Structure formats: structure tokens, C-alpha cells
Amino acid sequence: MPRDELAAGLSRQPESIHTSALLAHVLDRVNLQRALKQVRQNKGAPGIDGMTVDELPDHLKHHWLEIRAQLEAGTYRPQPVKRVEIPKPDGKTRPLGIPTVLDRFIQQAIAQVISAQWEPHFHRHSYGFRPQRSAHQAVREVQANIRAGYGWVVDMDLQAFFDRVNHDRLVTRLKQRGIDTDLLRLINRYLKAGVSVAGNIEATTMGVPQGGPLSPVLANVVLDELDWELDRRGHRFARYADDCNILVRSRRAGERVMASVTRYVSDTLRLTVNPLKSAVDRPMNRKFLGFTVSRNGARLKVADKTLEKLKDRVRELTRRTRGTGIGALVAELRETLLGWKAYFGIAEVLSPLREIDKWVRRKLRCYLWKQWGPAGYRELRKRGVSVREAWNTSKSAHGPWRLSKTPALAIALPLAFFETMGLPSLAPR
């Protein structure tokens, strides 16, 4: 839909004089256009009604006047979110709620207004889901504190945080910044919209479902209270969403902090610190946002579990049964590796990344060797391998993975071959 036509669809009804001030901001034409643009950029799967992101503009063109009237009158009812299970690295799953695209659009419009209202009041050491703030800044904050002599970390994990947020406390917090009744009613309806599980609608009496644009800003509203309590106690910390590291000078101090903050989280925030995933330890033994630090100099290092997760993805792409040509395979790997590097490229310990680069090339040599099959000898000879090396390799009883490390495969498929195909390196050369 052309931009001007869409704008007309979102603004044909004049603002009601009865609309509360903040709800009027939510329904402002510029705010709505920005929300629609963001929802379309984020893409995502349809909710329970099956409507896609691409179908949303046309739907708004024909139905926005009616939807807006319901929002102003306080009669709009969000649809339940669709529950899907996302695999986690430990083999378990994480529940994700997918709102309808219409509700994602309205949530985004609300989130923009709440974010603008709360942003000046959020703590400077809160880094998640905020403009001009990032996970990299949170990691650098932790690193700076370690280098300043705070060599122990209180690594706190909030158990099922998004599923356990107390609605009453959240609404009370929102009221403290002057969010009025009409907008609070709409937010509360989103909190209690329910969830569709295998076609059955289940009530939601607590929590903010992950997957909607409103959840991250509401999470920050809840945990802002924790930030300022840590600040009041004089702690050094960095928080990204529900992942929080507090830095202290000794194990004894860390254990005291863990005990007192755990009580605060339980008694005041009505949340739970997960004892199985939380610990007081040296920072090099813990993972924060995919990173850890080296033992000497606290240099940033990609955590071992993060590297294993990447290797699992490479294994999936290079499995034998896919039958994908090497060009298409390298293109897929390139997309994965460049996306990974865009985030983890700030790592300062490069030796693990160099090992991953070698391992990826070996996986590709193995993949090609299996594809060559009986033509392996001819392919090696074509690529400059001696008769003796080509013969010994092609007639070897060893399997493809063992042979992928032989001199013959290194000569036939050198680093330059993969570079020409566009395979990126994770470690700078």
C-alpha cells in the first residue's frame, strides 16, 4: 500500500476529545505509522487468526476506523497469543507467545509511548531493549568492573521471569509514572488476553508473554525497581533484560549480596532467583550474554557453550543427507557466520575463533569428499595433488572425517579456495 494511502487509513477519524492523553499519543498518526513500519520490519509468524504481516496494511485500510473506535471506547479485546515452544541449547524448550499481527501493531504503538515516558528514568546500567543501548555495552560494563578490581561476580538468573511477573505490581509501577486509566485498562487486557495451546485457550493470571513488542518495555519497568535498589546499596552491576551481573571484590561479599538480593527479589518483586543457574564465582567461570573473560587481563572471550551452539548449526548445515551444492552451502554458511560475527566480533581472545575457522573448513572438505564419492581420485588430481597422495587418499579405509585432515584435501581445497567462494573467517587475519 502506498505510504500516503496508508497514512489516510490510519488518520481518517479525528481524535476523540474523550480519549485520555496517553492513549491519544498511542493513537497519534505519526506514532501509528512508526509502529506499523517496525512491525513490518520485524516480520514474524502469524498469530491465531493466520493473518500475515504483509496482509496487515490492507486490513488496517479497511478496518482501522472501527478498531480505533473500540480502542477509544475501551471495548477493544486483544486476541489470545499462540503458544510455540522454542528449543534451548540444553535440550529443553522456552515458551514463546505469538500475538496476532494486529495486536503486535497496537502493542508496538503502546510500547513506543511507554518507552518514551520511562526512558529518562531508567537506570544507566540497564542495557536491554533500550534505544542507543546494547548487549555489547553491558558486557563492556562488566569487563570494566573486573579490571577495576571487582574479581567476583554474583550471576543472578530469574527463574521463568517473563512467565512470573506479578500483574498487580506491574500496574502499580506504571501508575507511578502517570499512566492513566484508559491506557492501563488496555495494557491489562493484553496481560490477561490468554494463550492458545493446541487450540485450547488458557487464562494468563501472571507474566508478560515473550514474543510481543510490549513485553520488553514492561520487563524493564518491573526490573527498574531492582536496578535502583542495587544502586541504593552501592553495587556495581550490569543488567540486560532478566540477565544481571553484580560485581564484588570477594567471595564472602558475593555470598552476602546473593543472599540479600535474593530475599529482595522474592519479598519485594515477588519473583524467584533460580538457585541452579545462579552462582557466586570468578567471572571467567560464568557466561554473560554469550561472553566470558580470560583469566589474565579479563579480555573478552566467546563462551564455550556459545561456540558449541555455533558448531551445532554448522553441523546441521553440512550434514550429508542435504545434497546441497557447495556454492549454495557456502552461501548459507556465509549468512550464518557473518550474523554471528556481527555480534561476537568484539571478542579479544581470538584463538578459539581461529580453531572454529579451521574446523568449518574441515567440515566443508569432508562434505565435498563425500559428494565426490568414486570420483575422489580424479578430483584430487585435477586440483594438483600428486598421484601418490591422491591414490593413497582415495583408497584409504579411513572415513571422510579422518581424511578431511589429510595433506591431500588441504592441497586440493586450500584456504584460498574457500575465500574465493566467499566463506568468511571469524578471526581477523
Side-chain angles (χ1 to χ4, degrees):
M1 184 190 300
R3 183 180 177 86
D4 55 350
E5 188 178 346
L6 176 58
L10 292 176
S11 61
R12 273 178 290 180
Q13 180 168 312
E15 239 174 52
S16 167
I17 59 173
H18 302 295
T19 305
S20 66
L22 280 178
L23 186 57
H25 283 304
V26 170
L27 300 177
D28 176 76
R29 178 173 59 87
V30 174
N31 187 57
L32 292 172
Q33 288 176 331
R34 181 178 154 215
L36 181 59
K37 180 180 179 181
Q38 189 63 51
V39 168
R40 297 186 75 181
Q41 283 180 348
N42 291 344
K43 299 182 180 178
I48 62 171
D49 63 354
M51 186 189 301
T52 66
V53 172
D54 291 335
E55 294 170 333
L56 178 59
D58 191 61
H59 180 81
L60 292 174
K61 179 184 175 182
H62 292 95
H63 300 283
W64 177 243
L65 293 181
E66 176 188 351
I67 296 166
R68 178 175 180 133
Q70 292 174 4
L71 289 166
E72 290 185 335
T75 59
Y76 180 81
R77 296 282 178 179
Q79 295 192 63
V81 300
K82 181 168 70 174
R83 168 70 55 81
V84 296
E85 300 290 336
I86 305 298
K88 294 170 66 175
D90 59 5
K92 298 179 182 179
T93 59
R94 173 172 60 89
L96 188 71
I98 303 178
T100 65
V101 292
L102 173 60
D103 282 324
R104 293 211 291 271
F105 164 63
I106 298 171
Q107 281 193 37
Q108 180 65 37
I110 297 170
Q112 289 166 183
V113 170
I114 294 177
S115 178
Q117 187 186 41
W118 277 76
E119 186 59 33
H121 307 284
F122 282 143
H123 198 280
R124 65 189 183 280
H125 292 159
S126 163
Y127 294 95
F129 312 116
R130 295 181 60 190
Q132 284 78 55
R133 290 183 169 255
S134 68
H136 287 174
Q137 292 172 332
V139 170
R140 293 289 193 193
E141 176 77 24
V142 169
Q143 181 188 34
N145 283 313
I146 296 168
R147 288 179 168 173
Y150 293 78
W152 291 83
V153 62
V154 180
D155 185 359
M156 302 195 70
D157 179 89
L158 298 180
Q159 189 168 345
F161 165 72
F162 283 90
D163 295 330
R164 297 188 178 186
V165 169
N166 183 281
H167 289 176
D168 292 338
R169 294 205 83 260
L170 172 55
V171 169
T172 299
R173 288 285 290 165
L174 290 170
K175 283 180 180 178
Q176 289 174 1
R177 293 282 170 220
I179 294 186
D180 45 47
T181 304
D182 291 340
L183 186 53
L184 280 174
R185 183 191 300 117
L186 181 58
I187 292 170
N188 197 50
R189 284 182 178 167
Y190 273 110
L191 292 174
K192 300 186 184 302
V195 57
S196 175
V197 182
N200 298 315
I201 307 301
E202 297 180 1
T204 46
T205 57
M206 64 172 64
V208 287
Q210 294 184 74
L214 191 53
S215 298
V217 68
L218 294 182
N220 275 336
V221 168
V222 171
L223 293 177
D224 181 65
E225 198 169 357
L226 173 62
D227 296 339
W228 287 106
E229 178 63 20
L230 295 177
D231 181 273
R232 187 185 67 79
R233 299 183 184 190
H235 294 315
R236 296 187 176 219
F237 71 96
R239 181 181 65 79
Y240 190 96
D242 57 339
D243 204 346
C244 183
N245 272 195
I246 306 168
L247 285 304
V248 295
R249 290 188 182 274
S250 68
R251 175 183 286 278
R252 188 174 178 182
E255 289 171 348
R256 284 199 308 267
V257 170
M258 175 67 85
S260 64
V261 175
T262 297
R263 284 195 301 271
Y264 175 81
V265 167
S266 175
D267 297 346
T268 302
L269 301 184
R270 300 184 194 175
L271 297 168
T272 304
V273 173
N274 187 341
L276 299 179
K277 294 185 178 180
S278 303
V280 177
D281 207 340
R282 292 290 192 180
M284 68 280 294
N285 298 326
R286 305 298 296 178
K287 177 170 70 78
F288 182 56
L289 302 177
F291 292 92
T292 185
V293 293
S294 64
R295 293 183 180 276
N296 298 318
R299 292 179 299 153
L300 290 183
K301 179 182 176 183
V302 180
D304 290 342
K305 286 185 179 180
T306 304
L307 293 172
E308 279 304 314
K309 189 174 179 181
L310 174 63
K311 291 175 78 170
D312 286 342
R313 174 60 178 156
V314 174
R315 289 186 185 101
E316 180 185 342
L317 290 174
T318 57
R319 68 181 187 273
R320 183 177 185 178
T321 55
R322 295 188 73 222
T324 304
I326 189 64
L329 174 57
V330 169
E332 286 183 296
L333 277 172
R334 176 180 174 82
E335 184 178 353
T336 294
L337 295 176
L338 286 178
W340 193 91
K341 187 176 181 179
Y343 180 75
F344 291 103
I346 66 168
E348 297 160 338
V349 179
L350 300 180
S351 53
L353 304 187
R354 294 191 185 104
E355 290 303 313
I356 291 286
D357 284 336
K358 293 176 185 176
W359 181 83
V360 169
R361 292 194 294 271
R362 186 178 175 189
K363 289 293 289 184
L364 289 173
R365 290 182 183 116
C366 180
Y367 187 87
L368 273 172
W369 181 251
K370 287 186 285 191
Q371 281 204 334
W372 288 344
Y377 175 81
R378 291 197 307 275
E379 293 292 342
L380 291 176
R381 290 290 293 129
K382 274 196 317 186
R383 288 166 169 78
V385 179
S386 69
V387 171
R388 181 184 178 84
E389 285 284 358
W391 179 262
N392 287 342
T393 303
S394 61
K395 298 303 178 182
S396 172
H398 294 306
W401 181 243
R402 176 84 174 268
L403 294 176
S404 65
K405 204 176 182 181
T406 58
L409 269 295
I411 293 168
L413 302 169
L415 171 61
F417 170 80
F418 296 112
E419 287 180 332
T420 301
M421 296 201 72
L423 183 72
S425 294
L426 299 179
R429 284 197 295 268

